[in-house]
Amino acid sequence: MYAYILRRLLLIIPTLLGIMIINFVVVQFVPGGPVEQMIAQLTGDAVSATARVGGDAGSEITTTQPQKGQASSSGGATSRYRGAQGLPPELIEQIEKQFGLDKPAHERFIHMMGNYIRFDFGDSYFQDRSVMQLVIDKMPVSISLGLWTTILVYLISIPLGIAKAVRDGSKFDVWTSGVVIFGNAVPSFLFAILLIILFAGGRYFDWFPLRGLVSPGWDNLSWIDQITDYFWHLALPLMSMVIGGFAGLTMLTKNSFIEEINKQYVVTARSKGLTEHRVLYGHVFRNAMLIVIAGFPSAFIGILFTGALLTEVIFSLDGLGLLGFEAALTRDYPVMFGTLFFFTLLGLLMGIIGDIMYHIIDPRIDFEARDV
């Protein structure tokens, strides 16, 4: 097992490098880079897709917008940047230099990866803060959503899947399948809007808050009130994310149990006079839950980094999903590539942890005996 883990760790290097190269190359051909974003701010043409992006975003650029006389004196020099017509070439060069875009692409990539190896992700172009500090500040929101959603999904899906497998074909199985299909069909963001209309003052009841992870003055509350306030704010976001997440895991659990129940060792166990509870939870559960439990790390990563974007936007939760969306919108390359590097590395490590959990749950699984 140790040799397998070592090989997987070594494979992280080319995998991570390949992902970074592909994304870096793609970004070079995407219009509207950071220079154009800054030009739009200087000329007053910047457009924000969220209310927060333009509100508190700072800028490290120390240039000032040229006066009309300066723009006209440049003679309307052409530029490869959209919206730069009429701006002095010296101003464009200064912006390029401060963004580090005055160097060839391959030099910028090598310099970037050299910093990333030391976990130095640089500073945001437009928020006047380091990428690491931004990630740390946004992490509590995303971890709260990802962790509690994953736990709730597993707590609902595993018992429900087992019950459906034991009662396969019964009325209970049919009715719960309808609920599962409904949960799988309704997008989480649509369900979130419905919850706001019903319970957050949208139209009917005003029982839950609509924004933030905690209330103002949360630090001054007692620890019991802090916990209550924390889950009070999380109630609706978690409900909206759970409704769309439990369907797939429920059916996976059910199918895994049905497959195991029909195997010969279960028939043998029953013929020996073992109770149904002993057969189900003493023999079937361990084998059926292998793929479900071992997939917990990957499920958590998926919910943490990809499943909460719209939920964060709808409920005004300032997390990693919203950070990544704003970075892509404003072409904030340090945030884009820094978070991509960090989260890809974390995802690859979680994949290894998932394989280790397979071996822990069932020691008969030997990855070293396979050609990997």
Side-chain angles (χ1 to χ4, degrees), residues 347-369:
L348 293 172
L349 291 174
M350 284 296 176
I352 299 176
I353 293 176
D355 288 345
I356 295 175
M357 289 187 65
Y358 273 108
H359 182 72
I360 292 175
I361 296 173
D362 190 350
R364 295 173 299 175
I365 296 178
D366 185 7
F367 290 102
E368 292 191 27

Side-chain angles (χ1 to χ4, degrees), residues 66 77 86 113 115 124 138 162 174 190 208 210-211 213 221 223 237 249 285 298 301 340-341 349 368 372:
M113 293 304 299
N115 290 334
S124 168
K138 315 295 184 184
I162 295 174
V174 173
L190 187 61
F208 295 94
L210 188 55
R211 67 175 60 246
L213 191 62
L221 300 176
W223 68 272
L249 186 60
F285 184 84
S298 298
I301 290 296
L340 174 66
F341 179 89
L349 291 174
E368 292 191 27
V372 292

Side-chain angles (χ1 to χ4, degrees), residues 17 20-21 24 104-114:
L17 182 61
M20 295 300 297
I21 290 176
F24 187 84
H106 67 279
E107 291 186 15
R108 287 186 277 118
F109 179 78
I110 294 174
H111 178 71
M112 179 183 72
M113 293 304 299

Side-chain angles (χ1 to χ4, degrees), residues 141-159:
V141 172
S142 294
I143 288 182
S144 296
L145 291 175
L147 180 62
W148 292 117
T149 299
T150 306
I151 291 175
L152 288 174
V153 165
Y154 269 72
L155 288 177
I156 295 173
S157 299
I158 292 178

Side-chain angles (χ1 to χ4, degrees), residues 117-187:
I117 293 175
R118 304 190 302 270
F119 287 92
D120 178 10
F121 301 118
D123 298 328
S124 168
Y125 284 160
F126 302 104
Q127 299 196 45
D128 209 13
R129 301 173 66 190
S130 69
V131 174
M132 185 60 73
Q133 187 61 49
L134 285 171
V135 171
I136 292 174
D137 289 347
K138 315 295 184 184
M139 192 69 79
V141 172
S142 294
I143 288 182
S144 296
L145 291 175
L147 180 62
W148 292 117
T149 299
T150 306
I151 291 175
L152 288 174
V153 165
Y154 269 72
L155 288 177
I156 295 173
S157 299
I158 292 178
L160 181 59
I162 295 174
K164 286 175 64 63
V166 174
R167 299 172 178 83
D168 185 36
S170 65
K171 290 184 178 180
F172 173 82
D173 183 38
V174 173
W175 283 105
T176 53
S177 293
V179 176
V180 169
I181 293 173
F182 174 80
N184 193 42
V186 178

